[in-house]
């Protein structure tokens, strides 16, 4: 496809090959805020907002349907406006409304990662929503920095909204689950990690001397995680490792976490490549990236071939296999330490 951005900000998509009667998948990273070259032969780059990306997606869907596509699937690693899923005053439910826009535009299916609210899939009539999760990919990376069988490893939910996600990790790993409860002042807007709307934090559970693992669906300014880390340190946590499926790192979040890491507030943060980042983040010692490209590729293949996604949506069996493999490796290491090989005697001259 060829994309044009006009001087007034409008977008146009032109399909450069025949797609008539084909099954089309449109991949759109709506959180990509890095410079892009859009116009053919143009050296000028453009930094697109979430709204720009959404409208670029809409005109692409329109172009694909006018080109005769049989079925259209929108692949959105980040579901736009997903945090606007419930009303606290006179405000809209934009998360569901945006999906309805896509459904009305002709999209048959949406593939996304770790929805902020599972109830979103109840908003559609015919559109189907596949909500993938990166738990297996994140645990593989986690296993490289800590022992998943460590009895001192515990799982903590950074807030009530992520309790189900962390309960899944706790159940899969056979660990205890703690909860950090935050009180917020919703009359204030979270602008940076230090200027959030969190007014009070409380801890349910014990983390004294423990290695703590916290998982959340997204990281914006980072205020939630930083306040949670402060609380865990005050409660005596020995080491803190966090995982986020959608690492936005909005504003100056990277520099703020640099400072927190230098102070020893946390050990590592695991994110995924569902959101594009350059070496400014990927080169940080404290940041580890889990690759979810194969997860999306397998999902697209299975949907196109009419096969089930069950093993991808419920990956407890493959996680259990990974844990059994790590336990076997730990047993071999323990046996090797307990029974070191005897040193071979020097060979006699006649041997």
């Amino acid at each position: 496809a060829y994309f044009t951005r006009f001087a007034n900000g409008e977008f146009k998509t032109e399909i450069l090959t025949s797609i008539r009667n084909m099954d089309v998948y449109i991949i759109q990273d709506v959180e990509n805020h890095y410079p892009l070259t859009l116009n053919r032969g143009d050296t000028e780059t453009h930094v697109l907002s979430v709204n720009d990306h959404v409208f670029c997606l809409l005109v692409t869907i329109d172009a694909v349907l006018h080109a005769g596509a049989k079925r259209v699937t929108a692949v959105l690693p980040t579901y736009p406006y997903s945090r606007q899923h419930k009303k606290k005053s006179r405000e809209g439910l934009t998360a569901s409304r945006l999906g309805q826009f896509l459904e009305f535009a002709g999209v048959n299916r949406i593939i996304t990662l770790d929805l902020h609210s599972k109830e979103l899939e109840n908003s559609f009539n015919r559109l189907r929503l596949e909500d993938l999760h990166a738990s297996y990919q994140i645990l593989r990376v986690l296993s490289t920095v800590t022992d998943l069988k460590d009895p001192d490893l515990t799982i903590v939910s950074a807030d009530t909204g992520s309790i189900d996600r962390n309960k899944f990790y706790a159940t899969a790993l056979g660990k205890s689950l703690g909860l950090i409860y935050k009180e917020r002042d919703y009359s204030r807007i979270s602008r940076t990690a230090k200027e959030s709307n969190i007014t009070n934090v409380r801890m349910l559970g014990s983390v004294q001397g423990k290695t703590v693992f916290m998982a959340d669906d997204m990281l914006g300014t980072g205020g939630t995680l930083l306040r949670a880390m402060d609380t865990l340190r005050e409660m005596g946590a020995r080491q803190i490792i966090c995982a986020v499926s959608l690492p936005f790192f909005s504003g100056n979040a990277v520099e703020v976490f640099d400072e927190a890491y230098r102070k020893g507030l946390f050990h590592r943060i695991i994110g995924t490549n569902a959101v594009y980042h350059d070496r400014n983040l990927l080169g940080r010692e404290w940041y580890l990236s889990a690759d979810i490209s194969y997860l999306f590729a397998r999902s697209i293949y299975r949907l196109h071939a009419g096969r089930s996604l069950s093993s991808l949506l419920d990956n407890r069996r493959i996680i259990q296999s990974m844990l059994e493999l790590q336990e076997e490796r730990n047993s071999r290491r323990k046996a090797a330490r307990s029974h070191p090989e005897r040193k071979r005697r020097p060979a006699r001259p006649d041997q």
Side-chain angles (χ1 to χ4, degrees):
Y2 169 62
F3 302 93
T4 301
R5 185 180 191 274
F6 296 102
N8 66 349
E10 292 182 359
F11 293 96
K12 182 179 76 171
T13 302
E14 179 186 357
I15 309 301
L16 302 179
T17 186
S18 175
I19 56 172
R20 184 169 300 279
N21 208 33
M22 289 188 179
D23 189 10
V24 177
Y25 293 79
I26 303 173
I27 302 173
Q28 184 77 34
D29 178 8
V30 299
E31 285 289 342
N32 187 344
H33 302 305
Y34 290 84
L36 300 171
T37 302
L38 296 176
N39 301 341
R40 184 182 300 172
D42 194 352
T43 58
E44 182 183 0
T45 59
H46 306 273
V47 176
L48 303 185
S49 67
V50 171
N51 296 331
D52 290 332
H53 284 297
V54 168
F55 216 88
C56 194
L57 172 65
L58 289 172
V59 297
T60 303
I61 293 168
D62 190 43
V64 164
L65 289 173
H66 277 286
K70 178 177 66 176
R71 186 172 65 174
V72 178
T73 300
V75 182
L76 306 174
T78 303
Y79 188 100
Y81 289 85
S82 64
R83 283 171 282 191
Q84 298 188 35
H85 64 97
K86 57 185 177 181
K87 295 200 302 182
K88 303 180 183 66
S89 61
R90 297 182 184 90
E91 55 192 67
L93 297 172
T94 313
S96 60
R97 189 67 67 201
L98 183 64
Q100 292 167 0
F101 289 163
L102 295 179
E103 180 178 26
F104 180 78
V107 173
N108 302 97
R109 189 184 304 269
I110 295 175
I111 305 176
T112 190
L113 182 75
D114 275 343
L115 273 175
H116 194 64
S117 172
K118 301 291 185 183
E119 289 73 23
L120 271 177
E121 60 184 335
N122 299 327
S123 305
F124 313 119
N125 295 319
R126 293 177 301 278
L127 183 145
R128 295 294 173 262
L129 192 148
E130 308 294 350
D131 183 23
L132 308 178
H133 53 99
S135 50
Y136 172 68
Q137 288 75 15
I138 286 174
L139 285 178
R140 286 190 61 181
V141 176
L142 178 64
S143 68
T144 65
V145 293
T146 191
D147 182 4
L148 300 183
K149 290 290 185 177
D150 185 355
D152 287 332
L153 176 64
T154 188
I155 313 300
V156 171
S157 178
D159 56 20
T160 55
S162 59
I163 188 70
D164 288 340
R165 180 172 291 100
N166 285 279
K167 182 180 178 181
F168 174 87
Y169 283 107
T171 302
L173 298 177
K175 302 298 180 182
S176 60
L177 176 65
L179 170 65
I180 295 176
Y181 174 73
K182 297 188 299 296
E183 296 175 359
R184 295 178 181 269
D185 178 4
Y186 287 103
S187 65
R188 293 158 48 188
I189 299 175
S190 294
R191 302 187 185 278
T192 66
K194 296 182 179 179
E195 299 178 18
S196 69
N197 60 1
I198 302 172
T199 58
N200 192 24
V201 180
R202 299 176 183 176
M203 176 74 197
L204 301 178
S206 175
V207 294
Q208 180 69 40
K210 301 286 188 179
T211 295
V212 175
F213 174 70
M214 291 190 298
D216 210 346
D217 60 328
M218 60 180 65
L219 187 156
T221 60
T224 296
L225 276 185
L226 289 174
R227 288 293 296 268
M229 291 172 184
D230 277 328
T231 301
L232 292 172
R233 283 299 188 191
E234 291 173 2
M235 299 288 290
R238 180 175 60 85
Q239 190 179 80
I240 300 172
I241 303 171
C242 304
V244 286
S245 301
L246 306 172
F248 300 149
F249 283 92
S250 307
N252 66 337
V254 174
E255 289 72 24
V256 171
F257 276 86
D258 267 340
E259 180 182 353
Y261 179 67
R262 286 193 295 268
K263 293 179 179 178
L265 196 58
F266 67 95
H267 180 56
R268 292 290 185 272
I269 292 179
I270 303 171
T272 76
N273 59 348
V275 180
Y276 175 78
H277 286 288
D278 63 11
R279 297 302 300 175
N280 181 50
L281 175 63
L282 300 180
R284 257 50 181 195
E285 180 184 27
W286 48 265
Y287 184 77
L288 301 173
S289 181
D291 189 354
I292 48 85
S293 306
Y294 188 53
L295 173 64
F296 274 88
R298 290 178 64 190
S299 301
I300 292 172
Y301 169 76
R302 291 191 177 200
L303 288 172
H304 177 67
R307 296 176 58 186
S308 173
L309 293 183
S310 296
S311 61
L312 300 180
L313 299 176
D314 184 1
N315 54 17
R316 286 174 292 184
R317 182 179 299 177
I318 190 171
I319 290 175
Q320 187 59 40
S321 299
M322 180 183 66
L323 293 175
E324 292 172 357
L325 180 60
Q326 185 171 45
E327 187 173 12
E328 181 181 339
R329 289 173 179 170
N330 290 342
S331 299
R332 287 201 298 265
R333 292 193 191 103
K334 186 176 180 180
R337 288 193 297 267
S338 302
H339 305 285
E341 294 182 0
R342 295 180 179 177
K343 294 183 179 179
R344 294 186 60 185
R345 296 178 180 176
R348 295 201 306 260
D350 60 338
Q351 285 184 319

